[in-house]
Amino acid sequence: MQKLIIAIKEHTVFGYVFAAFFTKRKNKFFIEITENVSLMHSENQSDKFNEQEKAILKTIDSFSDQNLTKIFGKKKKTNEFLKTVSKDDIQKRIRPFIEKRLYSVIEKLKEYDIDLYIKKDKFNTLHNEDIIALFKEPASTVFNIEKEENGTKYYLSIKHKGIKINLNGKKGLIISNEPCSLLLDNNLYLFEDIDGKKLLPFFEKTHIFVPKSAEKKWFEAFAVKAIKKYEVNAVGFSIEEKLFPPKAKLVLEKDWKGEYTFVLYFQYGNDVYSAGKRLETKLDFDEANFIFVKSIRNKAWENKIVKHISNTGLISQLDNNYKLTKDGLEKKEQRYQTIVWIRKNIKKITNAGIQFEQNLYKREYFTQDISLDIKTEQKKDWFDIYGTVKFGEFEIPFIKLKDNILSENREFILPDKTIAIIPEEWFAKYSEVFMFGKKSHDKLQLRKIHFEAIQNAEIKGIDAGFKENIKKLLQFNDFEVELPKDIKAELRPYQKDGFKWLYFLQQNNFGGCLADDMGLGKTVQTITLLQKTIEDRKSNQKNSIKSKSDESQLSIFGQTEKEVESEKKPSLIVMPVSIIHNWENEIKRFAPKLKVTKYRGNNRHKKIEKFGNYDVILAGYATVRNDIELLQKIELLYVILDESQFIKNSNSKTYKAVLKLDSEYKLVLTGTPVENSLSDLWSQMNFINSGMLGDKNFFIQTFQNPVEKGHDELQGQKLKNIINPFILRRTKNEVAKDLPPLTEQIVYCGLDDEQKSFYETEKSKMRNKFIEMIETGKKKSLSFEILSALNKLRQISNHPVMIDEKYKGESGKYNEILRSIESLTSENHKVLIFSSFVKHLNLFAEYFNNENIKYSMLTGKTKNREEVISEFQSVNENKIFLISIKAGGTGLNLTEADYVFIIDPWWNPAVEKQAVNRAHRIGQDKKVMVYRYISKNTIEEKIIKLQEKKTQLAETFINSNNPLSDLSEDKIIELFE
């Protein structure tokens, strides 16, 4: 069986090296070399060797002839290089290169079970006496110095395991010079204290002689160094040893990289030694008497100190330097961690008898204990936070650390100018407290909207009742409140939850943002809240009256009730003007006992003094902005902003105006609280809970820029934690189980003022014309004229530009539809938009083209129907499908859409139903929402009424070739009232 061995052999050019061989034992006296081993040759497969063997072979290959030629041969061939290499090159460059790797092989052989031989000749046999013993324990050098009358002689010997070995007359072989490895009598000795070249002379010489004339100089220069470093046998002179009690000192300094490092020193008497270097000894020479005084260092004690320091977590770097961590930390963080380490470990260090010092230029750090005592007192709408930080003997108000905490500056300067390092955990724990707190003398005042900051900081002093309320706010489903008795709506489960959440916010004087998806009933949840609030107010006021004297009680149903009525405050709902009518209808439908009025029109100012007669005031954003000087004087119960993204620009006049409104409570409704930037969120949150996210600049620097530009997930999560209790958003998918498969709703849109004037003018002309036709007996052509006029009024209800290209005004319905589309697409929904007028669809197509919004369109002129349908169904970015109701009413399967807009009503409800069925059909796995957009006080309302009542007029329009021939004159004129 073959066995791997390593052998020392003499290279013809480079001296002694290691080689690897496979061998076989021939008999008990010798083994035979069967093969040279090298990983460089393909015949020696690497899978024959274990990892330890591979490591040795790889090192041996590194000084093979081929590799040495590659490194030192300057592109010569191996044979040519070996013949021409100079002795100077070998001595100065090549041999040092080889010896480093020889020593590396020796180090590996110390750990691995591989035999080492000396190969003395060219034969392939190795005898038992050729095996070499490799000692793991290092040998040491002994200087033998004998002073005589005529001079001094000295020689070197070696010592291993306490046994002295003379070199003279022996055949020693230096395998490597530095570090030194010596082959002597088939033993391989390793040295840590000497260069092998210094041993060579003493194999041939018995000693080296120093004549009397050079003796003094030799002792001062050479002998002193030897006595310090080595064991010395002294003859003819004396070496006295002194033992001083040792001291240890750990000094904080800056290293060459500017990082903080600990330097360990040992002191013996007046002499200070570096701890990390070799154990040097101080030597004093009395040249008159040739006496050396040697100060001995206590190696065992020093090692104990080093071990104690290492056990505290410090890591040895270079020489006597120690650091807390390895490289990689920023300088500032490395400095902070170092000071924190000192504070935690200073007692361990000093208790072990190690003195600690700081040697930093004009800087001294506080290294004693730091503690914080913090508590809070609860007021009506805020918390008073008190805290004291103890830095040793100093007591500092916690408020004084505000700037440090917010700027993440951990260095706090104490009255004695020492620098304390603020505990790192305080920054995460108390940053929000300081972030939103207001300094007031020696305390911090924090509004209750920031209760979560108090909770995160684990500050004492919050009463159990408030904590319970907070728990309810975070889990509002557990909060119980009865629905108002006069609400006429059947709320779905998630709508009841939304109402409870809104009511709970009110009970704790918080503002809120209801951000449900479009179509989930933000309006009805809000109306329920208003109805409940007003019922509560009336009940409380009546109870208050009943508690008065008997005389007062007698008048409860007289003057006192009127007084109660006059004390009530109205609520103001601000919205896009196009949906004022929709709100009015919804309030009358769901809460008919609420008194509601619209604040708009040229004579609106006269209503202000009568606001007390109403429960709800409806107004447009522009109206509130224009009339804010009057409206800000009114005491309101609620200010509610619908489509609150209208105030997303905090620099706008609208935003600044609504901030001036005076109300007990505030609420915003929106499906898209963030449209373009987090600044949208700030303006709405600041409206409902002033100061909740700090001022605008603070918000930009703390949240907006880090999240939007820096993608800072930590700050993003922190922002979510702050706003989560005050914003409620449910998507349609989340509440799908509570929704019917199909939900239908009519959205009433107000006409823009210019649009309304245009409509009324045209309607009046038509009415007068038909009266004249009837009076003059031209009834025969009346049917055609009426149909034409009705279609014209329908188009004006959509947008007057459909019949007059010069029209420059707005359209209430057009603006409301666009707003709804933007809301839905931002929520990732797809919507089908049906119209009986291609002109109407073209208006939206033009807008989408200008805004680079992707859409599809299907009309009677569309030829590639399948391609258009497929693109809408399969392309996620395409969320809008404009469809002519005649071209798309049948034969389409558009189940990717979950919203359907009928943007102008058709006489025949069956046609609209067919349109709805394009989305609400087999294969649809989503709940479908249908919206019919109707311009208030126009012919469109009459069409809806005709659809609902299925009157003779509707049937006439649907089925008769001459639809108006049988109508009375009054019925015809009534259409234009």
Side-chain angles (χ1 to χ4, degrees):
M1 180 178 176
Q2 291 194 121
K3 182 179 180 182
L4 178 70
I5 63 102
I6 306 298
I8 300 172
K9 72 170 190 173
E10 187 174 11
H11 191 281
T12 55
V13 178
F14 300 124
Y16 283 95
V17 296
F18 287 122
F21 301 103
F22 276 135
T23 63
K24 275 187 180 180
R25 179 158 290 280
K26 301 299 289 182
N27 54 48
K28 64 180 180 178
F29 300 108
F30 66 88
I31 60 175
E32 183 180 37
I33 295 173
T34 60
E35 183 181 351
N36 289 348
V37 178
S38 171
L39 291 179
M40 296 169 62
H41 302 304
S42 58
E43 61 266 27
N44 295 306
Q45 300 298 325
S46 63
D47 57 6
K48 294 180 181 179
F49 309 104
N50 59 39
E51 293 303 316
Q52 297 172 342
E53 292 169 339
K54 287 179 186 177
I56 289 180
L57 294 175
K58 187 176 180 181
T59 307
I60 292 174
D61 283 343
S62 70
F63 50 80
S64 67
D65 290 350
Q66 295 93 323
N67 202 46
L68 292 175
T69 303
K70 190 183 296 182
I71 297 171
F72 301 103
K74 298 181 179 178
K75 299 184 179 180
K76 292 180 181 180
K77 291 185 178 180
T78 302
N79 288 338
E80 181 186 2
F81 169 66
L82 295 176
K83 289 177 182 178
T84 58
V85 64
S86 68
K87 289 183 179 180
D88 190 57
D89 249 5
I90 293 172
Q91 184 180 351
K92 292 181 179 179
R93 298 173 62 219
I94 300 175
R95 190 62 198 177
F97 175 87
I98 294 173
E99 288 188 1
K100 284 181 182 178
R101 284 146 186 82
L102 292 177
Y103 201 84
S104 175
V105 172
I106 293 171
E107 288 291 309
K108 292 178 174 67
L109 287 172
K110 283 165 58 177
E111 304 299 327
Y112 307 156
D113 185 22
I114 300 175
D115 290 339
L116 177 64
Y117 285 80
I118 177 74
K119 190 174 184 299
K120 300 173 182 176
D121 50 40
K122 296 182 180 179
F123 297 109
N124 285 335
T125 54
L126 295 171
H127 295 81
N128 292 344
E129 58 265 28
D130 295 328
I131 199 163
I132 294 171
L134 173 59
F135 295 119
K136 294 184 179 181
E137 303 84 357
S140 60
T141 307
V142 179
F143 266 73
N144 304 278
I145 305 174
E146 298 177 6
K147 184 177 182 304
E148 300 174 344
E149 279 190 28
N150 59 340
T152 298
K153 62 181 181 182
Y154 76 93
Y155 64 93
L156 301 185
S157 57
I158 65 172
K159 195 173 185 179
H160 186 254
K161 291 186 176 181
I163 300 173
K164 182 179 176 183
I165 304 168
N166 285 325
L167 303 178
N168 184 244
K170 296 188 177 179
K171 292 182 179 180
L173 183 63
I174 302 294
I175 304 301
S176 61
N177 282 294
E178 193 175 3
C180 176
S181 54
L182 168 64
L183 180 61
L184 187 65
D185 297 332
N186 279 38
N187 294 318
L188 187 59
Y189 298 99
L190 308 179
F191 295 82
E192 295 177 347
D193 60 353
I194 198 164
D195 185 334
K197 293 175 184 176
K198 293 179 180 178
L199 296 176
L200 283 176
F202 301 101
F203 288 104
E204 297 179 356
K205 295 181 179 182
T206 57
H207 63 266
I208 294 175
F209 183 73
V210 180
K212 193 76 174 178
S213 59
E215 190 179 55
K216 180 176 180 296
K217 186 176 181 181
W218 182 85
F219 267 101
E220 289 176 340
F222 183 81
V224 166
K225 291 180 182 178
I227 294 169
K228 278 185 177 182
K229 189 173 181 181
Y230 302 104
E231 179 183 341
V232 175
N233 288 329
V235 177
F237 68 99
S238 63
I239 300 173
E240 297 180 2
E241 294 183 352
K242 281 189 178 181
L243 298 175
F244 292 97
K247 296 179 182 178
K249 183 189 297 183
L250 192 64
V251 182
L252 181 64
E253 298 179 359
K254 271 189 179 182
D255 65 11
W256 62 275
K257 293 191 290 186
E259 294 180 353
Y260 280 20
T261 185
F262 296 95
V263 184
L264 180 61
Y265 298 98
F266 297 122
Q267 184 173 351
Y268 295 84
N270 295 324
D271 301 319
V272 177
Y273 300 94
S274 175
K277 295 182 180 178
R278 288 181 178 179
L279 209 61
E280 294 182 354
T281 302
K282 189 183 179 206
L283 200 66
D284 294 321
F285 177 44
D286 179 355
E287 62 183 77
N289 300 305
F290 270 85
I291 297 174
F292 292 86
V293 180
K294 191 175 184 180
S295 299
I296 301 299
R297 287 171 62 179
N298 189 333
K299 185 174 182 180
W301 176 84
E302 290 185 14
N303 289 341
K304 183 179 178 182
I305 294 295
V306 169
K307 185 177 181 181
H308 181 81
I309 289 175
S310 298
N311 288 341
T312 63
L314 292 180
I315 298 172
S316 176
Q317 301 290 307
L318 295 171
D319 298 330
N320 57 338
N321 282 257
Y322 294 84
K323 288 185 180 178
L324 177 61
T325 59
K326 295 180 180 179
D327 295 336
L329 286 176
E330 291 183 2
K331 286 182 183 178
K332 184 186 289 186
E333 185 59 29
Q334 191 266 348
R335 181 167 77 233
Y336 292 161
Q337 287 195 19
T338 301
I339 304 304
V340 171
W341 179 91
I342 295 171
R343 205 169 64 233
K344 290 180 178 178
N345 291 275
I346 189 69
K347 288 182 180 178
K348 292 180 185 177
I349 294 295
T350 55
N351 289 343
I354 304 171
Q355 182 183 348
F356 176 73
E357 291 182 6
Q358 297 184 45
N359 185 19
L360 304 169
Y361 179 68
K362 292 185 178 179
R363 293 176 77 88
E364 184 176 354
Y365 285 92
F366 175 82
T367 58
Q368 299 175 45
D369 289 339
I370 299 174
S371 63
L372 170 62
D373 181 32
I374 189 169
K375 61 183 179 179
T376 184
E377 291 182 5
Q378 193 171 319
K379 306 295 183 182
K380 181 183 177 184
D381 294 319
W382 72 88
F383 300 100
D384 285 339
I385 301 171
Y386 301 87
T388 302
V389 188
K390 289 185 179 180
F391 298 96
E393 64 184 32
F394 299 112
E395 293 190 0
I396 307 293
F398 189 43
I399 188 72
K400 290 189 178 294
L401 271 62
K402 179 178 181 179
D403 292 340
N404 288 71
I405 296 290
L406 292 182
S407 62
E408 297 187 352
N409 176 14
R410 294 186 66 183
E411 297 188 358
F412 182 79
I413 300 175
L414 296 173
D416 65 353
K417 305 304 179 186
T418 58
I419 303 167
I421 301 300
I422 300 171
E424 185 177 15
E425 60 271 19
W426 288 10
F427 290 84
K429 200 169 185 180
Y430 302 114
S431 61
E432 288 183 26
V433 171
F434 283 124
M435 194 181 292
F436 301 110
K438 182 180 178 182
K439 186 177 180 181
S440 176
H441 304 294
D442 62 342
K443 65 187 176 186
L444 198 67
Q445 289 186 327
L446 192 70
R447 293 188 62 199
K448 284 189 177 177
I449 52 172
H450 297 116
F451 64 86
E452 196 161 305
I454 295 280
Q455 293 218 132
N456 293 341
E458 299 174 352
I459 299 174
K460 296 179 241 175
I462 306 176
D463 67 47
F466 183 78
K467 284 186 176 180
E468 186 61 28
N469 279 354
I470 295 310
K471 185 178 177 182
K472 289 177 181 177
L473 177 58
L474 297 173
Q475 300 175 339
F476 64 88
N477 288 340
D478 298 333
F479 176 65
E480 295 298 331
V481 58
E482 291 183 3
L483 290 172
K485 62 181 181 181
D486 287 326
I487 197 71
K488 303 302 180 185
E490 188 64 38
L491 269 63
R492 298 188 175 106
Y494 73 88
Q495 292 173 332
K496 291 178 182 177
D497 288 341
F499 157 67
K500 287 193 295 184
W501 179 76
L502 293 171
Y503 187 76
F504 185 84
L505 287 177
Q506 179 204 103
Q507 295 300 296
N508 286 278
N509 294 309
F510 293 137
C513 171
L514 184 57
D516 288 343
D517 261 3
M518 180 178 171
L520 297 189
K522 293 188 287 291
T523 304
V524 72
Q525 292 173 72
T526 305
I527 293 171
T528 305
L529 172 71
L530 291 176
Q531 179 67 54
K532 175 66 175 176
T533 306
I534 289 168
E535 287 180 10
D536 285 352
R537 287 291 167 108
K538 287 182 178 178
S539 174
N540 291 339
Q541 287 168 339
K542 286 181 179 180
N543 289 338
S544 175
I545 293 168
K546 287 177 183 179
S547 67
K548 293 182 181 180
S549 64
D550 293 342
E551 183 179 349
S552 298
Q553 289 180 31
L554 292 174
S555 59
I556 285 176
F557 298 101
Q559 184 179 1
T560 310
E561 273 207 336
K562 291 182 180 179
E563 289 173 1
V564 170
E565 191 74 13
S566 67
E567 289 174 4
K568 73 180 182 183
K569 298 177 184 176
S571 293
L572 174 65
I573 307 178
V574 189
M575 66 199 74
V577 69
S578 58
I579 56 173
I580 287 179
H581 293 293
N582 206 61
W583 267 94
E584 183 182 31
N585 287 343
E586 297 285 271
I587 291 172
K588 289 178 178 178
R589 175 185 172 192
F590 296 128
K593 289 194 176 182
L594 292 183
K595 296 177 181 177
V596 59
T597 186
K598 295 175 287 188
Y599 180 69
R600 60 176 306 191
N602 294 331
N603 298 319
R604 63 181 182 270
H605 297 152
K606 295 179 181 178
K607 284 189 175 181
I608 292 179
E609 60 186 28
K610 298 179 181 179
F611 273 4
N613 297 333
Y614 297 98
D615 297 305
V616 183
I617 315 296
L618 307 177
Y621 280 102
T623 301
V624 171
R625 181 183 66 235
N626 295 333
D627 293 359
I628 191 59
E629 297 304 320
L630 297 172
L631 295 176
Q632 68 181 350
K633 299 173 184 177
I634 308 298
E635 291 185 15
L636 300 166
L637 179 59
Y638 258 103
V639 172
I640 300 170
L641 307 184
D642 191 12
E643 299 300 338
S644 58
Q645 64 269 24
F646 268 70
I647 65 162
K648 65 184 180 183
N649 180 1
S650 58
N651 294 319
S652 67
K653 292 181 179 178
T654 302
Y655 171 77
K656 292 173 182 177
V658 295
L659 281 187
K660 295 178 181 179
L661 294 169
D662 178 18
S663 67
E664 290 187 41
Y665 312 111
K666 291 179 179 178
L667 176 65
V668 297
L669 313 175
T670 177
T672 52
V674 178
E675 286 187 324
N676 303 310
S677 167
L678 284 179
S679 62
D680 303 352
L681 182 69
W682 178 85
S683 56
Q684 294 168 83
M685 293 296 105
N686 196 56
F687 169 76
I688 58 174
N689 292 313
S690 179
M692 175 176 166
L693 297 176
D695 63 31
K696 186 65 177 293
N697 288 333
F698 167 81
F699 178 78
I700 291 171
Q701 296 302 319
T702 307
F703 296 113
Q704 187 175 338
N705 287 345
V707 173
E708 292 184 351
K709 296 179 181 179
H711 308 291
D712 189 327
E713 293 183 6
L714 182 63
Q715 286 304 96
Q717 188 57 50
K718 189 179 289 187
L719 177 59
K720 282 183 183 178
N721 291 342
I722 294 170
I723 67 172
N724 273 349
F726 308 104
I727 186 166
L728 179 62
R729 172 165 176 76
R730 280 80 58 88
T731 65
K732 198 170 67 143
N733 290 336
E734 287 177 76
V735 299
K737 62 182 177 60
D738 294 335
L739 295 173
L742 182 68
T743 302
E744 301 189 58
Q745 182 178 342
I746 295 176
V747 180
Y748 289 97
C749 308
L751 297 179
D752 181 78
D753 289 343
E754 192 172 345
Q755 181 186 17
K756 184 177 181 180
S757 175
F758 193 107
Y759 182 90
E760 293 299 331
T761 300
E762 290 299 318
K763 186 179 74 171
S764 181
K765 289 179 185 178
M766 294 171 186
R767 182 175 180 278
N768 293 336
K769 179 179 179 181
F770 297 145
I771 291 173
E772 182 182 345
M773 289 179 71
I774 291 170
E775 289 177 349
T776 56
K778 297 179 180 179
K779 191 175 179 182
K780 191 174 183 179
S781 60
L782 187 61
S783 174
F784 175 79
E785 291 291 341
I786 289 175
L787 284 173
S788 176
L790 290 175
N791 277 334
K792 192 173 183 180
L793 289 182
R794 288 175 66 204
Q795 292 180 76
I796 297 171
S797 301
N798 291 330
H799 202 307
V801 77
M802 291 174 65
I803 66 165
D804 183 359
E805 293 180 358
K806 295 180 181 179
Y807 177 79
K808 300 297 181 185
E810 299 285 338
S811 160
K813 182 195 284 191
Y814 176 79
N815 290 340
E816 177 58 20
I817 293 170
L818 279 183
R819 184 193 63 74
S820 299
I821 291 171
E822 289 172 358
S823 178
L824 285 178
T825 54
S826 70
E827 295 166 359
N828 208 32
H829 295 290
K830 287 201 173 195
V831 57
L832 309 180
I833 302 173
F834 286 96
S835 173
S836 52
F837 299 102
V838 175
K839 272 187 179 182
H840 199 188
L841 298 176
N842 285 337
L843 289 179
F844 292 99
E846 182 180 0
Y847 175 83
F848 298 148
N849 288 330
N850 291 337
E851 298 296 321
N852 292 318
I853 297 172
K854 196 167 185 61
Y855 70 97
S856 295
M857 187 166 177
L858 181 68
T859 68
K861 294 182 178 181
T862 303
K863 294 182 179 179
N864 56 335
R865 286 170 61 96
E866 293 304 321
E867 184 180 332
V868 171
I869 294 165
S870 175
E871 182 185 15
F872 174 76
Q873 289 280 85
S874 60
V875 178
N876 187 53
E877 293 77 16
N878 187 352
K879 301 186 184 303
I880 304 166
F881 203 162
L882 301 172
I883 307 173
S884 163
I885 203 162
K886 290 181 180 178
T890 58
L892 297 181
N893 187 342
L894 298 171
T895 53
E896 281 300 307
D898 54 346
Y899 281 79
V900 178
F901 288 3
I902 309 293
I903 61 175
D904 40 53
W906 186 246
W907 302 105
N908 186 351
V911 174
E912 290 186 2
K913 186 174 182 180
Q914 286 178 337
V916 170
N917 286 341
R918 298 317 94 214
H920 186 239
R921 61 191 299 142
I922 294 173
Q924 176 61 274
D925 57 358
K926 298 177 284 293
K927 308 291 184 174
V928 177
M929 302 277 189
V930 180
Y931 289 84
R932 290 178 170 82
Y933 289 86
I934 303 298
S935 291
K936 188 74 173 173
N937 297 324
T938 68
I939 188 66
E940 291 188 334
E941 275 197 295
K942 290 182 170 60
I943 293 174
I944 291 296
K945 289 176 181 176
L946 293 173
Q947 285 182 348
E948 292 171 352
K949 296 178 181 178
K950 296 184 178 180
T951 60
Q952 180 186 1
L953 181 60
E955 293 296 328
T956 301
F957 272 107
I958 294 166
N959 299 321
S960 174
N961 291 326
N962 190 9
L964 302 178
S965 59
D966 296 327
L967 290 183
S968 67
E969 295 172 1
D970 291 340
K971 283 285 186 183
I972 293 172
I973 300 303
E974 187 181 313
L975 290 172
F976 297 90
E977 291 295 337

